[in-house]
Amino acid sequence: MIGNWSVAHFGTRFGRAGRSVRSVFRSSAPVTYGLIALCCLLFLTGPAAGLNPAYGSGEGLLAAQRAYFHRWGVVPAELFEGAPRAVLTPATALFVHGSWVHLLGNMLFLYVFGVMTEERMGRVQFTLFYLGCGYLALLGYAAANDDSGQSLVGASGAISAVLGAFLFLFPGARVTSLLPFLLFLPLRFPAWVVLPFWVALQWVAAGRADQGPGVAYLAHLVGFAVGFGYAWARFGRTTRVKAAPAPASEGENQP
């Protein structure tokens, strides 16, 4: 799952073409919204939500959850055996989540960062980018844990790629963050401060994480690197959108 802290919203203007963040959020981002809707629908109808009576309750429900994750999630030890079904699991796992917190945390990040990234890339390119980077992120985690029999699920790798692309494309966007160690006070920082800090947290956590079940921090790092690298290769340094100073308040002279 993505997140050691939460991201709430943006609060700045962009200089290019006089467009504001509000206008971007009002724009159409069908792929981002569709991904969120699909993940939510699959979660609500699957066993992890605990709402579908077809999966039973108690021990039966737990068994159904394990079987569901094993079927649709990435099992590194099986992936590299070459079974055709297993080869598809780094893609199917992107749409499966293990808990309410897992789902809501990932969907929050996808909503906040996906809308603007999709508009910059375009619908088709963003779709291929999301699926391709997500696949590579989970594949990278599986390669580093190729003897693991634990199932890995979640969209974190793909969303981390979106964060990486966002950092390159919109480095000056100011992000309101809630930091636990600062009593969850809402603070606004540029993306070039917030996202590298998030990467540093993932790096530290990955170094301390034991192999086995838990948060796949390595998939986050791989996804972020692939996403940033793709944005750099595809759009080049001259196409990034830089933040412009906020307009002066009433009665204050513009520079």
Side-chain angles (χ1 to χ4, degrees), residues 10 19-36 107-123 126 130 162 166 169-170:
F10 301 110
R19 302 190 66 188
S20 68
V21 170
R22 289 185 178 181
S23 68
V24 173
F25 276 123
R26 286 198 298 267
S27 66
S28 175
V31 176
T32 298
Y33 298 137
L35 289 170
I36 293 173
M107 294 305 100
L108 172 63
F109 271 74
L110 179 55
Y111 171 75
V112 169
F113 294 100
V115 171
M116 293 175 63
T117 306
E118 178 184 344
E119 181 179 81
R120 181 67 185 86
M121 290 186 176
R123 300 174 185 178
F126 180 77
Y130 183 91
V162 174
F166 186 95
L169 296 172
F170 308 102

Side-chain angles (χ1 to χ4, degrees), residues 41-221:
L41 177 62
L42 292 175
F43 178 80
L44 293 174
T45 57
L51 301 178
N52 191 337
Y55 291 104
S57 60
E59 291 298 326
L61 177 60
L62 293 177
Q65 291 174 353
R66 288 191 293 268
Y68 188 83
F69 297 150
H70 187 273
R71 179 179 182 184
W72 300 110
V74 178
V75 180
E78 297 180 1
L79 177 61
F80 294 103
E81 290 178 354
R85 186 197 65 81
V87 173
L88 296 176
T89 55
T92 59
L94 297 176
F95 302 95
V96 180
H97 291 82
S99 68
W100 286 95
V101 173
H102 190 196
L103 173 75
L104 295 177
N106 278 349
M107 294 305 100
L108 172 63
F109 271 74
L110 179 55
Y111 171 75
V112 169
F113 294 100
V115 171
M116 293 175 63
T117 306
E118 178 184 344
E119 181 179 81
R120 181 67 185 86
M121 290 186 176
R123 300 174 185 178
V124 174
Q125 184 177 179
F126 180 77
T127 301
L128 297 176
F129 165 82
Y130 183 91
L131 296 176
C133 291
Y135 189 102
L136 291 176
L138 297 185
L139 185 65
Y141 176 88
N145 300 275
D146 58 355
D147 60 345
S148 174
Q150 299 290 339
S151 301
L152 175 65
V153 298
S156 299
I159 299 172
S160 295
V162 174
L163 267 62
F166 186 95
L167 175 61
F168 182 83
L169 296 172
F170 308 102
R174 299 187 69 85
V175 181
T176 299
S177 306
L178 304 177
L179 305 179
F181 53 83
L182 293 179
L183 304 178
F184 292 97
L185 295 176
L187 301 174
R188 296 177 63 201
F189 300 102
W192 65 265
V193 172
V194 173
L195 293 180
F197 177 69
W198 176 83
V199 171
L201 291 178
Q202 306 306 299
W203 182 273
V204 172
R208 296 178 178 177
D210 296 327
Q211 292 187 2
V215 179
Y217 296 106
L218 180 59
H220 298 176
L221 293 171

